[in-house]
Amino acid sequence: MSERLQPGDVAPAFTLPDADGNEVSLSAHKGRKVIVYFYPAALTPGCTKQACDFTDNLEVLASAGYDVIGISPDAPEKLARFREKESLKVTLLADPEKKVTEAYGAYGEKKNYGKTYMGVIRSTVVVDEDGKVERALYNVRATGHVAKIIKDLGI
């Protein structure tokens, strides 16, 4: 079970491949706020809803100074299919070894239909312009989550 981040923590640095195989680093976003969200699997109903919500609200978030990055354990090829199929505009990154997911506390024990197993915990971390954690939200719902973030951030 990975340690959950707290406001004020330094956001763990990362460089991961995007849907096209290009390397994307958190440090490239220094000076802007970044919403980093972790989701279990591309092309599944809940994750599709969440990614579409972020895409639908991307202009609102961007005009308020936020970049959005979605991270899952999927391979870049699957992320590319996800992006094309759903016309997604958010940056999707692949973390197949789950190292970044673990560093952000978004991997751990989950319960589903009475079974306990290890997996990606749907989570959102808001990183400020200086690379510090502003908010860390765990076990979030796929539906309505983006609207709640926008409201909580006062956008």
Side-chain angles (χ1 to χ4, degrees):
M1 187 95 157
S2 43
E3 200 63 34
R4 294 194 166 177
L5 296 175
Q6 302 294 324
D9 288 351
V10 173
F14 62 79
T15 301
L16 292 170
D18 68 8
D20 299 313
N22 302 313
E23 301 275 298
V24 175
S25 298
L26 179 62
S27 60
H29 295 267
K30 203 148 182 78
R32 284 188 60 80
K33 294 184 178 207
V34 186
I35 295 171
V36 183
Y37 78 97
F38 296 86
Y39 62 99
L43 300 166
T44 58
C47 297
T48 297
K49 173 80 180 111
Q50 187 178 21
C52 288
D53 276 357
F54 270 118
T55 293
D56 293 346
N57 289 287
L58 202 56
E59 277 186 34
V60 171
L61 292 164
S63 64
Y66 291 88
D67 295 334
V68 179
I69 297 173
I71 299 178
S72 76
D74 299 302
E77 302 76 35
K78 186 174 180 188
L79 297 178
R81 286 198 308 275
F82 188 32
R83 181 185 62 197
E84 304 314 314
K85 181 174 187 277
E86 303 298 338
S87 303
L88 301 174
K89 303 262 185 287
V90 294
T91 301
L92 299 174
L93 302 184
D95 184 21
E97 276 125 46
K98 301 177 199 72
K99 285 188 168 62
V100 175
T101 305
E102 286 185 19
Y104 275 75
Y107 186 81
E109 208 172 80
K110 295 173 70 167
K111 283 185 168 63
N112 202 6
Y113 301 113
K115 284 174 58 180
T116 301
Y117 60 97
M118 296 300 281
V120 176
I121 298 163
R122 192 180 303 279
S123 308
T124 302
V125 177
V126 180
V127 181
D128 71 14
E129 303 90 337
D130 300 319
K132 291 241 176 28
V133 174
E134 192 176 296
R135 291 165 194 262
L137 311 163
Y138 295 95
N139 294 308
V140 300
R141 295 190 166 277
T143 307
H145 177 60
V146 176
K148 184 179 177 347
I149 288 174
I150 289 169
K151 184 174 177 256
D152 289 353
L153 293 174
I155 299 172

